[in-house]
């Protein structure tokens, strides 16, 4: 059963990865690069800031920091200790079949995707946090996160299951840290 799932995952990866064209390579490389999203994160933080007092905003910043640290470190534990599944661009059985858009492949192991995990955690956390002020914001954030996950397949560094599991872990993390933020907001919202 597991072998069949891995085989289907590999076939789906090859199909999706090979849909890419040089016309779209630049766009997906831009999309997947964390550095280019700094202005987006700054705007997101500003929107959150406007919904809180300065004291409560600092609590939220601390929770966001913990959430990103948690998802990042758990990704490393799964990649390097628990699962150790090769990235498609490091898998010798796929040599010559992977469209690697990046100049380098990245670390040896890829399960699960840190980009997918972190972006989904941010999407769920911020979407839930702002849902009372911006009703459909969470849907935009989820679309942004799914596209981030797809970008990892497109550029050739993650299998679809790496992305799906990363998104699932990120969604759980985002929800868990949203609940932590609510708890801390109530506890420290002393007038």
């Amino acid at each position: 059963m597991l072998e069949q799932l891995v085989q289907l995952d590999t076939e789906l990866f090859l199909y999706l990865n090979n849909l890419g064209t040089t016309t779209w390579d630049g766009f997906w490389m831009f999309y997947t690069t964390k550095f280019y999203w700094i202005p987006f994160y700054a705007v997101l933080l500003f929107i959150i800031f406007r919904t809180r007092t300065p004291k409560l905003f600092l609590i939220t910043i601390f929770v966001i920091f913990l959430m990103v640290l948690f998802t990042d470190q758990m990704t490393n534990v799964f990649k390097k200790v628990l699962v150790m599944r090769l990235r498609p661009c490091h898998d010798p059985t796929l040599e010559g079949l992977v469209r690697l858009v990046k100049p380098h492949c990245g670390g040896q192991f890829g399960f699960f995707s840190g980009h997918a995990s972190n972006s989904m955690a941010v999407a769920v956390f911020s979407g839930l946090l702002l849902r009372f002020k911006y009703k459909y914001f969470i849907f935009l954030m989820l679309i942004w996160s799914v596209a981030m996950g797809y970008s990892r397949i497109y550029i050739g560094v993650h299998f679809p299951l790496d992305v799906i599991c990363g998104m699932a872990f990120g969604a759980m993390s985002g929800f868990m840290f949203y609940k932590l933020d609510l708890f801390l907001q109530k506890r420290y919202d002393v007038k």
Side-chain angles (χ1 to χ4, degrees), residues 44 47-48 51-52 122-139 141 174-175 178-179 181-182 186:
L44 190 55
I47 292 169
I48 293 169
T51 65
R52 296 181 154 30
V122 168
V124 169
F125 180 85
S126 62
L128 290 173
L129 200 66
L130 298 170
R131 75 180 186 271
F132 298 111
K133 189 162 177 82
Y134 305 102
K135 186 176 177 181
Y136 300 107
F137 183 71
I138 192 165
F139 298 110
M141 291 301 292
F175 181 76
Y178 166 72
K179 289 295 192 180
D181 187 65
L182 281 182
K186 287 177 185 169

Side-chain angles (χ1 to χ4, degrees), residues 100-137:
L100 183 61
V101 179
K102 290 176 70 170
H104 53 84
C105 184
Q108 187 177 12
F109 303 116
F111 186 88
F112 50 83
S113 167
H115 276 73
S117 176
N118 285 330
S119 66
M120 187 57 78
V122 168
V124 169
F125 180 85
S126 62
L128 290 173
L129 200 66
L130 298 170
R131 75 180 186 271
F132 298 111
K133 189 162 177 82
Y134 305 102
K135 186 176 177 181
Y136 300 107
F137 183 71

Side-chain angles (χ1 to χ4, degrees), residues 63 67-68 70-72 74-75 112-129 131 138 141-146 149 162-180:
V63 171
M67 178 181 69
V68 172
F70 175 76
T71 56
D72 248 9
M74 288 308 295
T75 297
F112 50 83
S113 167
H115 276 73
S117 176
N118 285 330
S119 66
M120 187 57 78
V122 168
V124 169
F125 180 85
S126 62
L128 290 173
L129 200 66
R131 75 180 186 271
I138 192 165
M141 291 301 292
L142 292 174
I143 291 167
W144 165 78
S145 177
V146 168
D162 300 347
V163 170
I164 291 167
C165 292
M167 288 191 297
F169 183 81
M172 289 186 293
S173 299
F175 181 76
M176 180 177 70
F177 281 93
Y178 166 72
K179 289 295 192 180
L180 175 63

Side-chain angles (χ1 to χ4, degrees), residues 22-180:
T22 53
T23 305
W24 287 97
D25 289 355
F27 170 79
W28 288 109
M29 273 305 298
F30 176 86
Y31 198 92
T32 200
T33 305
K34 292 177 184 179
F35 174 78
Y36 297 125
W37 289 101
I38 291 172
F40 173 76
Y41 294 131
V43 169
L44 190 55
L45 285 174
F46 179 72
I47 292 169
I48 293 169
F49 172 75
R50 292 189 47 140
T51 65
R52 296 181 154 30
T53 65
K55 178 182 176 182
L56 295 181
F57 177 69
L58 289 176
I59 291 170
T60 299
I61 290 291
F62 178 69
V63 171
I64 291 169
F65 170 78
L66 289 177
M67 178 181 69
V68 172
L69 181 68
F70 175 76
T71 56
D72 248 9
Q73 294 312 305
M74 288 308 295
T75 297
N76 287 332
V77 167
F78 272 85
K79 279 183 186 179
K80 298 174 183 173
V81 178
L82 297 177
V83 178
M84 297 186 294
R85 182 182 187 193
L86 291 174
R87 289 179 184 266
C89 45
H90 283 306
D91 188 336
T93 65
L94 299 179
E95 193 170 327
L97 301 174
V98 177
R99 255 188 106 250
L100 183 61
V101 179
K102 290 176 70 170
H104 53 84
C105 184
Q108 187 177 12
F109 303 116
F111 186 88
F112 50 83
S113 167
H115 276 73
S117 176
N118 285 330
S119 66
M120 187 57 78
V122 168
V124 169
F125 180 85
S126 62
L128 290 173
L129 200 66
L130 298 170
R131 75 180 186 271
F132 298 111
K133 189 162 177 82
Y134 305 102
K135 186 176 177 181
Y136 300 107
F137 183 71
I138 192 165
F139 298 110
L140 293 173
M141 291 301 292
L142 292 174
I143 291 167
W144 165 78
S145 177
V146 168
M148 185 65 71
Y150 173 73
S151 74
R152 307 307 288 166
I153 298 166
Y154 182 96
I155 67 169
V157 297
H158 283 292
F159 289 103
L161 277 178
D162 300 347
V163 170
I164 291 167
C165 292
M167 288 191 297
F169 183 81
M172 289 186 293
S173 299
F175 181 76
M176 180 177 70
F177 281 93
Y178 166 72
K179 289 295 192 180
L180 175 63

